[in-house]
Amino acid sequence: MRMLWPRSLFSRLMLIWLVGIAIVLAVSFTLFVGERERVGRAALFEGVAQEIAATADVLDRLSPAERERWIDELGRRRLRLSLRPIPEHLRPAPDGHPLGSALRTAMPERETRIHLHHRNGAPHAALIVSVTLADGQPLLIRLPGIPPTPSIRPPEPGRLLAALTALIGGVGLLTWIAVRLATRPLSRMADAARALGEDPNSPPLPTRGPTEVVRAADAFNQMQKRIREHVSERTRILAAISHDLQTPITRLRLRAELVDDEALRARIQADLDSMQVLVKEGLAYARSLDDAAPAQAIDLDRLLEALRDDAEDMGWQVSLNGHAGAPLHAQPGAVRRALWNLIENGVKFGNAVAITVTPESDAFEICIRDHGPGLPEDELEKVFEPFYRVETSRNRETGGTGLGLAITRNLLRRQRGEVSLQNHPDGGLLATVRLPRTLASAA
């Protein structure tokens, strides 16, 4: 089973930071508790060793009779003293006991041993230290309040949890701010790239922020400028070619009238008509790429009714359903040309056409359905490419220039709209147009 990995960079950085910080905190806390326990144990045994060394020094200065009288008074604090040899039933403590190291440091000149004494019912064995005084008399020191390996009491779980929660919360907030600052320029650049794909004349990306962000924004703006110049140059070239071709086509049309063979003259005129249509479509395509007409409020219901009436005047079967009920802010000529191309295309390949308009919260959806054979699934997007025609339309009777749908998409995208094609379940092709109510809401 694959691990669920966040898709956004923001989520990934947040996850990496929070998990990494949690691991570091857990390891740090474990090391801190272990080190505190070791230091506390060492300090405890070092204090006991110093007290034992001081007691032994005091006993060395007393006579044997005085020792017996003062032995109980000296050990009253936390040591239990007795002047007798080591009992045989005691077993030595393990090597490396921390008290043994502390005793060798506190009184290196004395012979000391550590033993464990187990009593019935006691949870821990008692520590007993044997020391030889200066005159050779043995001294047993019992440590009743000190377990063999004392440990530091861990903090309360509630306080520990509250401290960790506060720490992780504070670090998480700082992490969120840092990651947000790091990923926000990427989000702005993604939005700018999306806007550039829809409109090369979109505003440039603001150049502010860290040095790396400013450099990336400058590079992006430079790329946008070059793309805008390239598109503008291509549009001018295409428009110039399409415009200049009209003059020789007109001259050829006049000269064709001088041909005596009527059949040949008709074929020449048909070829010139096809060239004329191609030139006009090419000019319309160039203009669709660089149409800067101002937007204005459009009565969409009136526009669709006018398109339906024009189609009926040409003998086409076109029906209109739905009601927009609100104005559309766009370029009237561009919207009219785009919708007319779809209606004409539907009538050409599907005879009858049904138009349905549906208002939405921030857009209008216009569906144009024909009753033709439809298209293969792999060509539903290809037909929007310039000069692309399906195999069934590559002839004089049904074929065009292959620019109609390309012009339609360009015009609609200039209005921040979109058009898509799909095969209707009941047959025919369905063209769906989405236009925002205002250009501002789309931007």
Side-chain angles (χ1 to χ4, degrees):
M1 181 178 180
R2 296 181 59 185
M3 181 180 64
L4 296 179
W5 187 246
R7 298 182 61 86
S8 66
L9 179 61
F10 179 84
S11 301
R12 292 183 179 183
L13 290 178
M14 284 291 294
L15 181 62
I16 292 173
W17 277 64
L18 290 179
V19 172
I21 290 173
I23 294 176
V24 170
L25 289 177
V27 173
S28 301
F29 176 75
T30 302
L31 295 177
F32 169 74
V33 171
E35 183 66 15
R36 189 177 68 166
E37 179 181 351
R38 186 189 66 80
V39 172
R41 184 170 56 244
L44 175 64
F45 285 129
E46 183 178 351
V48 172
Q50 293 292 340
E51 189 173 351
I52 293 175
T55 302
D57 290 340
V58 171
L59 292 176
D60 281 338
R61 291 178 173 82
L62 299 177
S63 64
E66 291 176 330
R67 289 173 186 171
E68 293 290 344
R69 187 171 66 252
W70 289 97
I71 192 70
D72 293 333
E73 294 294 334
L74 291 175
R76 181 172 296 178
R77 183 180 177 189
R78 59 176 175 177
L79 305 179
R80 301 295 181 265
L81 308 178
S82 60
L83 299 170
R84 59 191 181 93
I86 302 173
E88 296 181 356
H89 65 276
L90 298 181
R91 61 184 182 88
D95 295 336
H97 195 280
L99 181 57
S101 302
L103 289 174
R104 286 191 294 271
T105 303
M107 39 186 179
E109 72 284 354
R110 295 184 186 275
E111 180 182 359
T112 59
R113 295 180 182 179
I114 305 174
H115 304 269
L116 298 178
H117 175 54
H118 292 272
R119 286 188 175 184
N120 296 331
H124 301 287
L127 282 176
I128 296 179
V129 178
S130 63
V131 179
T132 303
L133 298 178
D135 58 359
Q137 186 176 13
L139 172 65
L140 290 183
I141 305 169
R142 183 170 172 271
L143 309 174
I146 302 176
T149 55
S151 60
I152 303 301
R153 183 171 58 90
E156 298 179 3
R159 298 182 61 184
L160 175 62
L161 182 60
L164 289 178
T165 302
L167 181 59
I168 293 177
V171 173
L173 178 61
L174 295 177
T175 301
W176 183 87
I177 295 174
V179 173
R180 186 65 178 173
L181 292 176
T183 57
R184 184 178 296 174
L186 296 178
S187 300
R188 287 201 301 262
M189 189 168 294
D191 295 337
R194 188 179 299 106
L196 175 62
E198 297 176 354
D199 182 12
N201 296 317
S202 59
L205 191 65
T207 55
R208 63 175 184 268
T211 304
E212 295 79 4
V213 175
V214 172
R215 291 177 58 189
D218 288 336
F220 181 87
N221 292 335
Q222 184 179 3
M223 178 192 67
Q224 181 181 10
K225 181 180 178 182
R226 295 182 62 183
I227 291 176
R228 187 187 300 116
E229 294 174 351
H230 173 73
V231 172
S232 179
E233 181 181 2
R234 186 186 67 171
T235 302
R236 288 196 301 268
I237 292 174
L238 183 57
I241 293 175
S242 300
H243 181 271
D244 293 343
L245 280 177
Q246 294 186 24
T247 300
I249 290 175
T250 303
R251 289 200 302 264
L252 288 174
R253 192 181 299 278
L254 293 175
R255 291 172 182 173
E257 296 294 334
L258 302 177
V259 176
D260 295 332
D261 190 338
E262 184 176 351
L264 177 60
R265 184 171 64 250
R267 289 197 295 270
I268 294 175
Q269 292 287 359
D271 290 338
L272 291 175
D273 290 340
S274 298
M275 293 177 62
Q276 188 75 34
V277 172
L278 180 59
V279 169
K280 290 182 178 179
E281 290 293 321
L283 187 58
Y285 179 73
R287 289 172 177 170
S288 70
L289 294 172
D290 194 23
D291 189 1
Q296 55 184 281
I298 305 173
D299 190 337
L300 187 57
D301 292 320
R302 293 284 298 276
L303 175 61
L304 293 175
E305 291 172 359
L307 292 175
R308 180 198 59 189
D309 295 340
D310 291 344
E312 290 178 348
D313 291 342
M314 299 182 66
W316 298 348
Q317 299 180 16
V318 177
S319 62
L320 177 60
N321 300 296
H323 185 69
L328 168 69
H329 292 268
Q331 300 172 2
V335 175
R336 181 183 180 88
R337 176 64 188 274
L339 296 178
W340 181 258
N341 283 355
L342 294 175
I343 295 173
E344 184 179 19
N345 194 72
V347 172
K348 182 186 297 184
F349 297 102
N351 299 322
V353 171
I355 305 174
T356 304
V357 57
T358 305
E360 298 180 354
S361 59
D362 58 348
F364 295 104
E365 183 179 271
I366 304 171
C367 297
I368 301 174
R369 179 198 171 191
D370 62 44
H371 296 275
L375 287 174
E377 293 293 332
D378 58 345
E379 293 191 353
L380 291 175
E381 188 64 26
K382 292 181 180 179
V383 293
F384 289 104
E385 299 175 3
F387 302 105
Y388 181 84
R389 291 181 294 171
V390 296
E391 293 297 331
T392 56
S393 66
R394 297 178 186 271
N395 56 71
R396 294 181 184 270
E397 288 74 18
T398 61
T401 60
L403 288 174
L405 291 177
I407 293 173
T408 298
R409 172 164 281 183
N410 287 339
L411 292 173
L412 292 176
R413 284 182 172 177
R414 294 288 295 181
Q415 316 308 310
R416 300 293 191 271
E418 191 53 80
V419 58
S420 60
L421 295 177
Q422 63 184 35
N423 292 309
H424 197 276
D426 297 331
L429 194 65
L430 179 65
T432 303
V433 176
R434 286 185 58 85
L435 284 168
R437 291 178 179 264
T438 63
L439 294 182
S441 65

